[in-house]
Amino acid sequence: MIKKCLFPVAGYGTRFLPATKAMPKEILPVLDKPLVQYGVEEAVEAGLTDIGFVTGRGKRAIEDHFDVSYELEHQIAGTGKEKALDGIRSLIETCTFSYTRQIEMKGLGDAILKGRTLIGDEPFGVVLADDLCFGSRQGVLHQMVSLYKQFRCSIVAIEEVPKDQTHAYGVIAGEAISERLFRVTDMVEKPAPEDAPSNLAIIGRYILTPDIFEILEATEPGKNGELQITDALLNQARAGCVMAYKFEGRRFDCGSVAGYVAATNYCFEQLRDREG
Ligand code: UTP
């Protein structure tokens, strides 16, 4: 039912300079796989195979990653090394990939609005690939797609963060519907701890209904002069309904060095456990 997934990847990744000077942060590997490939795998596991990227200058490596590499593949054909490309080959066969550009970095809301041309008039997923998520039983996006079937409204993934970190997130207030589900009543972008309505922070997974585009168009730039998806979602929540879902699983903020190192250690442990 939801087939499309948008990946806003236009940001500069300044927290990861100098690594991101000439390389997109989404191509940074955790073990041997780029962050963006983990994100696309999560989308596919949720049934979303029409993949749209909102990209920008210096991000060509992302397009090249989701394409064949004739010389390389010819070179390793018939050797044991071919196996290393099985995962990415299967994604290329399963998915379609479309690209549009955000010319100026005017915020996540603006990036999503630029993606309208790839999405059209249907509900869609959004993945911020620098948030690396591992669901407990199902992927995080898969869990959210299941909820969408029940509620048919926009859904944001949330997790509890220490109060002194609210300034790094959009933070919600909501009426608890169940242990993991809240109906959003308020949302604040990057609040100081004393202004935060809760410690429930929005992470980089969303299901959005297509009316979000009109709402984004009518939303004024907010914090830092950027068009904030949080502001548009609050407008959508006030006019109708937005749900916030405390997902089952783990998330690593791989846009920060500390989160990236934690993700790498976690994945290495998992690999060691699998390989005995
Ligand atoms: P971030 O603020 O985490 O990413 O935006 P950033 O700007 O790339 O990184 P720092 O803070 O400078 O280190 C969240 C997501 O939204 C996308 C980014 O690519 C990232 O995936 N984004 C943000 C855009 O695509 N366009 C924007 O104008 C802003």
Side-chain angles (χ1 to χ4, degrees), residues 8-16 25-26 54 59 102 104-108 111 128-130 226 255:
V9 295
Y12 292 126
T14 53
R15 283 171 295 161
F16 241 108
K25 74 171 163 187
E26 296 79 10
V54 181
K59 299 280 182 166
Q102 184 189 25
E104 282 179 85
M105 300 315 113
K106 292 199 266 182
L108 178 57
L128 305 185
D130 47 351
E226 295 183 338

Side-chain angles (χ1 to χ4, degrees), residues 45 58 62 70 79-81 84 101 111 151 169 172 178-179 182 221 241:
E45 191 261 340
I62 296 174
Y70 284 110
T79 75
K81 291 179 183 165
R101 279 199 180 203
F151 292 98
Y169 298 91
I172 69 133
S178 64
E179 196 197 333
F182 299 80
C241 181

